[in-house]
Amino acid sequence: MAIQTRRSDDGRTLTIKIDGRFDFSTHQSFRDAYEHGDQKVSDYVIDMSDTTYLDSSALGMLLLLRDYAGGDAANIRIENCNSDVRRILTISNFEQLFSIR
């Protein structure tokens, strides 16, 4: 499991790409990906184009990111989900909390 980060040219958008399984084993690296950035970041993109699996701990990690980014005011997009990942997010009603594309 690898987590990669990339910042936009203006530094305001942080993209976190999750490769492979998104589960409890990635907890610390996922938190490190967004907590140790600078305060200029206002938008977050979670790129799941290479995510093969996620479990309930991954859902919890997404909620922790949402709290960190401002709760209801957070601007977080989850993008490029495969059908299995998308189904889990839909069943969990995450479409109410995140922009999922």
Side-chain angles (χ1 to χ4, degrees):
M1 172 65 194
I3 292 183
Q4 302 165 356
T5 59
R6 185 181 73 247
R7 287 205 188 206
S8 61
D9 291 337
D10 65 3
R12 298 183 57 79
T13 301
L14 177 66
T15 299
I16 302 172
K17 183 171 186 191
I18 303 165
D19 296 329
R21 294 174 62 89
F22 187 21
D23 57 22
F24 187 73
S25 67
T26 62
H27 178 74
Q28 191 60 51
S29 57
F30 184 75
R31 285 188 67 171
D32 289 346
Y34 65 84
E35 283 187 346
H36 300 296
D38 68 46
Q39 301 301 321
K40 205 164 132 178
V41 174
S42 60
D43 302 326
Y44 297 85
V45 175
I46 309 303
D47 182 353
M48 293 194 174
S49 56
D50 293 324
T51 305
T52 57
Y53 170 84
L54 75 139
D55 65 6
S56 60
S57 64
L59 297 175
M61 288 183 268
L62 290 170
L63 293 174
L64 289 173
L65 168 61
R66 185 174 184 270
D67 288 345
Y68 177 85
D72 289 340
N75 187 9
I76 303 171
R77 293 187 321 267
I78 301 173
E79 298 182 345
N80 306 314
C81 303
N82 69 33
S83 61
D84 292 335
V85 169
R86 180 70 184 235
R87 185 170 44 254
I88 292 168
L89 294 171
T90 300
I91 290 169
S92 303
N93 285 323
F94 270 48
E95 293 167 331
Q96 305 292 324
L97 304 172
F98 299 93
S99 171
I100 301 174
R101 299 182 185 167

